[in-house]
Amino acid sequence: MSRLSPLPRTPRVRAASFALRGDVDRPATLTVRDLREGWQQHRTEVVFDCATSGPQRHSFEGPLLREVVLDAGPAFAPQRRKDRSRFLLAVTGRDGHHTVLSWAEIDADFGNTPVLLATRMDNQELDTVGSQLVVPADRCGARYISAITRVWVGAWATPG
């Protein structure tokens, strides 16, 4: 019989991830670590004017949504502005909250809004809770999505 005590088991922490799908050449499943290591990190300070709890101040860091999606190869012709402008992005969180953005909002030739896929919030790593969608220009946080589970990219087709 061994005199050594077994080492206490450390609970295994699973990294949160989200699926990047839709009209892209390279669909992916990305973790917060992937986002932190694969793209340049940007920092923003936001104040969300919440109707129920008043102003909420936070700092976020992470890559730009447009850079992550561009690396996935969206199915538009990058040199054709009108082709790009018909694309949408739908983002869903673990709690079922979702929002839609237009590609034109985040495209550098159009709105150039620096929407982040946050990897840190208030200097805390988000590896276990999941990436956050942050739209810094929004006055309220309605398009803030916590614990992202899916980012869908696609073209809007005119109803027939």
Side-chain angles (χ1 to χ4, degrees):
M1 182 165 180
S2 171
R3 292 179 190 219
L4 297 175
S5 300
L7 293 173
R9 291 195 170 190
T10 305
R12 190 169 218 184
V13 178
R14 184 177 175 165
S17 64
F18 68 87
L20 175 57
R21 301 287 189 270
D23 295 335
V24 294
D25 294 334
R26 293 172 297 283
T29 299
L30 299 168
T31 65
V32 171
R33 183 177 180 179
D34 295 332
L35 294 172
R36 191 171 32 255
E37 294 177 358
W39 290 272
Q40 179 182 351
Q41 302 296 288
H42 300 266
R43 183 175 175 85
T44 189
E45 304 287 327
V46 299
V47 177
F48 295 128
D49 188 11
C50 301
T52 57
S53 58
Q56 302 290 312
R57 293 173 183 359
H58 297 287
S59 65
F60 294 96
E61 294 175 44
L64 295 174
L65 173 62
R66 74 171 166 251
E67 291 174 355
V68 175
V69 173
L70 282 172
D71 282 352
F76 54 67
Q79 70 282 6
R80 296 184 57 208
R81 288 184 177 140
K82 286 186 179 181
D83 195 29
R84 295 188 327 243
S85 69
R86 65 188 179 91
F87 271 68
L88 303 171
L89 301 108
V91 182
T92 305
R94 187 177 304 131
D95 63 359
H97 183 61
H98 55 275
T99 194
V100 176
L101 299 109
S102 71
W103 182 262
E105 281 181 85
I106 65 173
D107 190 292
D109 286 340
F110 295 99
N112 198 27
T113 302
V115 175
L116 296 183
L117 293 171
T119 60
R120 291 174 60 92
M121 177 180 162
D122 299 331
N123 297 315
Q124 299 294 311
E125 303 290 342
L126 297 173
D127 294 78
T128 58
V129 295
S131 182
Q132 318 288 309
L133 180 76
V134 181
V135 185
D138 286 1
R139 190 177 63 82
C140 72
R143 292 195 296 176
Y144 169 89
I145 305 290
S146 60
I148 296 171
T149 58
R150 182 177 177 89
V151 174
W152 176 86
V153 180
W156 181 57
T158 305

